[in-house]
Amino acid sequence: MGNPLTPDVLVDPVVLTRALVDVESVSRDEKVLADCVEDVLRKAAHLTVRRVGNTVMARTRLDRGQRVILAGHLDTVPVNGNLPSTVVDDLIYGCGTSDMKGGVALALHLAVTLPDPRYDLTYLFYEAEEIESEHNGLNLVAEAHPKWLKADFAVLLEPTYGAVEAGCQGTVGARVHTRGRRAHTARAWRGVNAIHAAGEVLRRLEDYRPRTVTIDGCTYREGLNAVRIRGGMAGNVVPDECSVEVNLRFAPDRSEKQAHEHLREVFDGYELEITDSAPGALPGLDAAPAREFLAAVGIEPAAKLGWTDVARFAALGIPALNYGPGDPALAHAPDEHVEIGKIRDGVATLYRWLAP
Amino acid sequence: MGNPLTPDVLVDPVVLTRALVDVESVSRDEKVLADCVEDVLRKAAHLTVRRVGNTVMARTRLDRGQRVILAGHLDTVPVNGNLPSTVVDDLIYGCGTSDMKGGVALALHLAVTLPDPRYDLTYLFYEAEEIESEHNGLNLVAEAHPKWLKADFAVLLEPTYGAVEAGCQGTVGARVHTRGRRAHTARAWRGVNAIHAAGEVLRRLEDYRPRTVTIDGCTYREGLNAVRIRGGMAGNVVPDECSVEVNLRFAPDRSEKQAHEHLREVFDGYELEITDSAPGALPGLDAAPAREFLAAVGIEPAAKLGWTDVARFAALGIPALNYGPGDPALAHAPDEHVEIGKIRDGVATLYRWLAP
């Protein structure tokens, strides 16, 4: 089978979006699509291409002084009866249209059609974003080839419906344990009820007033929620154990360590077990390429809600933001689709920003 | 194999206890033991014997004017490496020694050695007390042969360690549900947290002050406890459902219906689902045979904690109590045992009460 990403296809980001969608690439099964993308990039004389696993990197070497990364993941969630793609009016339907082959199409179109950008550009098409982070291509590159990620600014083409979402919240998962003493419920006074004791934990959660923090014009709303509660073993036993699993989403002005300390303060007096944790990312919109990008888009940035790979760039000291044509609300949905107009707007914006 | 319950064995309730223990009779597997017991009873000329399933009934017909039931279940919980029986000093070890073949031995010894009791006597040796009540022999007799249960007073020879435990608590199991609205924890303000809402349910449980009620000199302590709590579905989702399973133990001055109403009052404003329920039993110690029994034992009665088949007699209008040689704390334990002294005390007490 020939490469469906022909020159005719590459020249139109809308046609290219459909072509990318129609090469199925569920996480851990990205090889065919990565081969097609690598093949296309190697034909572009102005690019240096490298590959690790199913992650492909291509970059210009124009000595522009500043370097910008455009990144997108090649994988999708499992197909849900939504392939091959279809077009209805202004909408392309299909698995990965929104998350995020529409965004990948913008980057790949630019890579082959813009040989002389204003900044040096690094394109990253990476694998396994939708699954456990140990497989994440961006993670693997950061470990194996950190030099590939040297840059002054990064745009992740994740779905934002044309908005600019900068930085992201951090997240901490933890368990708060309460203990008691087991007893038969017919002789309950001999026991201590660990579920009743969790009442105070829920009270603190109910009384918790989350902060709202504005950084570089982006507003981050924090939140602390019980996400699971488990306790008790039988219908006639006073339970001796209960655990409340909580999730803290925190603004990026707190470090991960400070977020842990904050949780310990909130649940002072209780046994607290941190189960997972990831730092937030500051929006970092001061750098020149970032300011010029915002001018090209022409709208105010907003805070990214939820955790994205933007935080991986932030951890490397690279200011990064999300900007893509897809609607994030449609990601992973069986009726996932992307608006053709948003793809055309996106490519026009990137050209406005990056063309010489 | 011959019947191990020979005349030599029957004449000594201690030897008889061991013989009964050594015929394994886990619930639903009581046939061999029921056959042995029926055979023994049929040989006693002063008794009329009936059988249904593995439940054996024997009674005197002496026109004494008042009739007393002595009842015990033949089944045990599963054997736990504790058969055959062993004797160490004053203790008989083995599955069912305490719960309740020591008590069954008292009744069976009386049945064959006391042809002329002061009251007419009905002996009930029944199956499947340790499992779901649909199999319970006493239940089956109450439905199929209610006349077998006609009596003025009943003693259930369940383990009480020689104490008199009268009446019993009722019990209600229920679930209290709280509802919310699901949302991603990164956008928690769009949701309503059902686990946080359960905080108020736990607060009411914590604030609950159970009654202590004294009836006929027996003190019943009520109790209301959370026995299970479940809520939440994922680490990043504001949960829309939580349920708190509660268990109410109530004094027998409340009817089952009143107990349900009480629960509805306590959890007013919440969705309450009653999942199981059983009435309590009043001690009913006014009848002449009961008063004389208490005089023969010579100690004050106490309230039975927990639910027993005493309540089945109470539901039929028959005052009933528990009195047996076993230690209830040892029931179902691998090191289950009964004190030989308690068996001898028990048979002496019953003779004092029932001999002419």
Side-chain angles (χ1 to χ4, degrees), chain B residues 1 4 6 17 33 74 77 79 130 134 141 201 253 263 289 316 326 331:
Chain B
M1 196 190 79
T6 60
T17 296
L33 184 57
L74 295 175
V77 294
V79 180
E130 297 288 4
E134 61 182 306
V141 166
V201 174
D253 65 330
L263 269 188
L316 298 167

Side-chain angles (χ1 to χ4, degrees), chain B residues 286-309:
Chain B
D286 286 341
R291 280 188 281 113
E292 287 162 24
F293 171 78
L294 291 174
V297 180
I299 57 170
E300 289 297 301
K304 176 71 190 169
L305 299 171
W307 201 88
T308 78
D309 276 343

Side-chain angles (χ1 to χ4, degrees), chain A residues 9-325:
Chain A
V9 167
L10 288 161
V11 84
D12 183 340
V14 173
V15 177
L16 178 55
T17 296
R18 281 199 71 177
L20 290 167
V21 169
D22 288 338
V23 181
E24 191 177 314
S25 59
V26 176
S27 308
R28 309 310 306 275
D29 203 12
E30 302 97 334
K31 184 178 183 307
V32 172
L33 184 57
D35 288 350
C36 294
V37 168
E38 182 186 359
D39 175 54
V40 159
L41 294 169
R42 287 205 185 270
K43 285 178 185 151
H46 62 286
L47 296 174
T48 309
V49 181
R50 296 281 180 275
R51 174 164 173 167
V52 55
N54 291 318
T55 294
V56 185
M57 183 278 284
R59 62 187 164 196
T60 61
R61 291 183 181 262
L62 303 166
D63 290 324
R64 292 287 198 244
Q66 293 215 284
R67 178 173 290 279
V68 166
I69 292 174
L70 295 183
H73 60 83
L74 295 175
D75 63 320
T76 69
V77 294
V79 181
N80 195 350
N82 50 2
L83 278 189
S85 65
T86 53
V87 173
V88 179
D89 300 328
D90 185 43
L91 307 175
I92 307 175
Y93 281 86
C95 183
T97 43
S98 165
D99 188 10
M100 57 174 282
K101 289 182 175 176
V104 168
L106 297 192
L108 193 57
H109 170 77
L110 246 73
V112 297
T113 61
L114 185 65
D116 54 348
R118 289 178 57 207
Y119 311 107
D120 266 310
L121 286 176
T122 300
Y123 299 95
L124 267 169
F125 301 98
Y126 64 101
E127 64 185 327
E129 189 269 350
E130 298 288 4
I131 55 174
E132 301 73 29
S133 65
E134 61 182 305
H135 303 296
N136 185 296
L138 200 53
N139 239 2
L140 300 179
V141 166
E143 281 166 25
H145 304 284
K147 283 187 184 163
W148 296 7
L149 298 182
K150 216 169 133 22
D152 301 284
F153 180 53
V155 175
L156 206 57
L157 294 146
E158 287 275 6
T160 64
Y161 202 57
V164 177
E165 295 182 345
C168 74
Q169 299 167 318
T171 177
V172 185
R175 280 199 200 97
V176 186
H177 298 279
T178 59
R179 311 283 177 187
R181 196 169 59 243
R182 229 179 260 204
H184 196 288
T185 50
R187 296 175 285 275
W189 60 91
R190 295 189 192 161
V192 177
N193 194 312
I195 295 178
H196 296 191
E200 168 64 16
V201 174
L202 300 188
R203 188 167 0 216
R204 292 190 194 177
L205 284 164
E206 221 175 348
D207 292 347
Y208 186 83
R209 293 290 161 265
R211 293 188 316 155
T212 297
V213 181
T214 301
I215 305 168
D216 288 355
C218 300
T219 299
Y220 298 86
R221 288 179 72 161
E222 298 192 325
L224 178 58
N225 273 274
V227 289
R228 265 201 205 94
I229 188 165
R230 294 287 183 272
M233 66 286 288
N236 59 355
V237 178
V238 174
D240 60 354
E241 264 191 348
C242 183
S243 77
V244 185
E245 197 177 320
V246 300
N247 181 227
L248 171 68
R249 298 288 172 144
F250 60 95
D253 65 332
R254 293 195 209 258
S255 70
E256 216 176 336
K257 188 163 163 258
Q258 286 168 335
H260 297 186
E261 275 161 21
H262 177 62
L263 270 188
R264 281 187 230 285
E265 274 164 33
V266 171
F267 297 110
D268 186 36
Y270 289 90
E271 186 186 334
L272 184 85
E273 176 196 0
I274 306 276
T275 54
D276 64 86
S277 170
L282 285 164
L285 302 176
D286 285 341
R291 280 187 281 113
E292 287 163 25
F293 172 76
L294 292 174
V297 180
I299 55 171
E300 287 299 300
K304 177 70 189 170
L305 300 172
W307 202 88
T308 78
D309 275 342
V310 154
R312 296 190 203 275
F313 287 109
L316 298 168
I318 306 167
L321 50 74
N322 286 299
Y323 170 75

Side-chain angles (χ1 to χ4, degrees), chain B:
Chain B
M1 196 190 79
N3 189 338
L5 311 180
T6 60
D8 282 359
V9 167
L10 288 161
V11 84
D12 183 340
V14 174
V15 177
L16 178 55
T17 296
R18 280 200 72 177
L20 290 167
V21 169
D22 288 337
V23 182
E24 191 178 313
S25 59
V26 177
S27 308
R28 311 309 307 275
D29 201 14
E30 303 96 334
K31 183 177 182 308
V32 173
L33 184 57
D35 288 350
C36 295
V37 168
E38 182 186 0
D39 174 53
V40 160
L41 294 168
R42 288 207 184 270
K43 285 177 185 150
H46 62 284
L47 295 174
T48 309
V49 181
R50 297 280 181 276
R51 174 164 174 169
V52 55
N54 292 319
T55 295
V56 185
M57 184 278 282
R59 63 186 162 198
T60 62
R61 291 184 182 264
L62 303 166
D63 289 326
R64 293 285 199 246
Q66 294 215 283
R67 177 172 290 279
V68 166
I69 293 174
L70 295 182
H73 60 84
L74 295 175
D75 64 320
T76 69
V77 294
V79 180
N80 195 350
N82 50 2
L83 277 188
S85 64
T86 53
V87 173
V88 179
D89 299 328
D90 186 42
L91 307 175
I92 308 175
Y93 282 85
C95 183
T97 43
S98 165
D99 187 11
M100 60 175 281
K101 289 182 176 175
V104 168
L106 297 191
L108 192 57
H109 170 76
L110 247 73
V112 297
T113 61
L114 185 66
D116 54 348
R118 291 178 56 207
Y119 312 107
D120 267 309
L121 286 176
T122 300
Y123 300 96
L124 268 168
F125 301 98
Y126 65 100
E127 65 185 328
E129 189 269 352
E130 297 288 4
I131 54 173
E132 301 71 31
S133 65
E134 61 182 306
H135 304 296
N136 185 297
L138 200 54
N139 237 4
L140 300 178
V141 166
E143 281 167 23
H145 304 284
K147 283 186 184 164
W148 295 7
L149 299 181
K150 216 169 134 22
D152 301 284
F153 180 53
V155 175
L156 206 57
L157 294 146
E158 287 274 8
T160 65
Y161 202 57
V164 177
E165 295 183 344
C168 73
Q169 299 167 317
T171 178
V172 185
R175 278 200 200 96
V176 186
H177 298 278
T178 59
R179 311 282 177 187
R181 196 169 58 244
R182 226 180 263 203
H184 196 287
T185 49
R187 294 175 285 277
W189 59 91
R190 294 188 192 161
V192 176
N193 194 311
I195 294 177
H196 297 191
E200 168 64 16
V201 174
L202 300 189
R203 185 163 5 213
R204 292 191 193 177
L205 285 164
E206 223 175 348
D207 292 347
Y208 186 82
R209 293 290 161 264
R211 292 189 316 156
T212 297
V213 181
T214 301
I215 306 167
D216 288 355
C218 300
T219 299
Y220 298 87
R221 289 180 70 163
E222 298 192 325
L224 177 58
N225 272 273
V227 290
R228 266 202 204 93
I229 188 165
R230 294 287 184 272
M233 66 285 288
N236 60 356
V237 178
V238 173
D240 59 353
E241 261 190 349
C242 183
S243 77
V244 184
E245 197 177 320
V246 300
N247 181 227
L248 171 68
R249 298 288 171 142
F250 60 97
D253 65 330
R254 296 193 206 259
S255 70
E256 215 175 336
K257 187 163 166 256
Q258 286 168 333
H260 297 186
E261 275 161 21
H262 177 62
L263 269 188
R264 282 187 230 285
E265 273 163 32
V266 172
F267 298 110
D268 185 38
Y270 289 89
E271 185 185 335
L272 183 85
E273 177 197 359
I274 306 274
T275 53
D276 65 88
S277 172
L282 285 163
L285 301 176
D286 286 341
R291 280 188 281 113
E292 287 162 24
F293 171 78
L294 291 174
V297 180
I299 57 170
E300 289 297 301
K304 176 71 190 169
L305 299 171
W307 201 88
T308 78
D309 276 343
V310 153
R312 298 191 202 275
F313 288 108
L316 298 167
I318 306 167
L321 50 75
N322 286 300
Y323 170 74
D327 179 345
L330 297 171
H332 308 186
D335 66 338
E336 183 176 354
H337 56 264
V338 64
E339 292 178 22
I340 288 171
K342 289 284 177 192
I343 298 173
R344 299 227 182 273
D345 288 352
V347 79
T349 299
L350 293 178
Y351 258 88
R352 207 152 51 232
W353 174 39
L354 295 171

